[in-house]
């Protein structure tokens, strides 16, 4: 049986709202980088090169993965702060 939404303390709801907001922001950044740099702006990026490869190709193949790893690190660090702020730290 799942708990009633009204039974959750305000602190838990605030924590969950902050968590969802953080996830939405980070996923939006990742989507913008993956789609924008890898597809929409590929022609402009291909005017530059890294290691002999066009930048647009590099971003589509490697860059979006690096951005994702950085976003995961940011999420973990920010969640530690949110845990402490809302009293849910381990």
């Amino acid at each position: 049986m799942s708990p009633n939404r009204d039974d959750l303390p305000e602190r838990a709801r605030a924590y969950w709202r902050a968590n969802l907001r953080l996830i939405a922001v980070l996923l939006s950044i990742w989507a913008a980088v993956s789609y924008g740099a890898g597809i929409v702006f590929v022609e402009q990026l291909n005017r530059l090169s890294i290691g002999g490869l066009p930048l647009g190709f590099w971003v589509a193949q490697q860059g979006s993965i690096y951005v994702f790893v950085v976003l995961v690190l940011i999420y973990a660090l920010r969640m530690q702060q949110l845990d402490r702020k809302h009293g849910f730290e381990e």
Side-chain angles (χ1 to χ4, degrees):
M1 183 172 166
S2 64
N4 185 348
R5 188 180 171 117
D6 294 334
D7 293 340
L8 290 174
E10 183 58 34
R11 183 173 58 108
R13 280 190 244 154
Y15 174 79
W16 186 241
R17 279 193 303 267
N19 185 12
L20 290 178
R21 189 175 326 117
L22 177 62
I23 290 171
V25 168
L26 294 177
L27 285 178
S28 297
I29 292 170
W30 186 51
V33 169
S34 297
Y35 184 74
I39 297 172
V40 175
F41 301 111
V42 70
E43 295 299 325
Q44 292 85 0
L45 292 173
N46 280 342
R47 294 179 187 150
L48 303 172
S49 64
I50 293 179
L53 295 173
L55 184 58
F57 173 80
W58 189 88
V59 168
Q61 299 299 314
Q62 304 290 325
S64 60
I65 296 170
Y66 291 145
V67 169
F68 183 74
V69 171
V70 169
L71 292 177
V72 168
L73 178 64
I74 290 170
Y75 177 76
L77 294 173
R78 184 67 182 126
M79 284 306 297
Q80 285 180 345
Q81 292 174 342
L82 286 177
D83 289 349
R84 271 187 248 122
K85 178 181 177 184
H86 295 280
F88 292 117
E89 61 189 320
E90 295 177 1

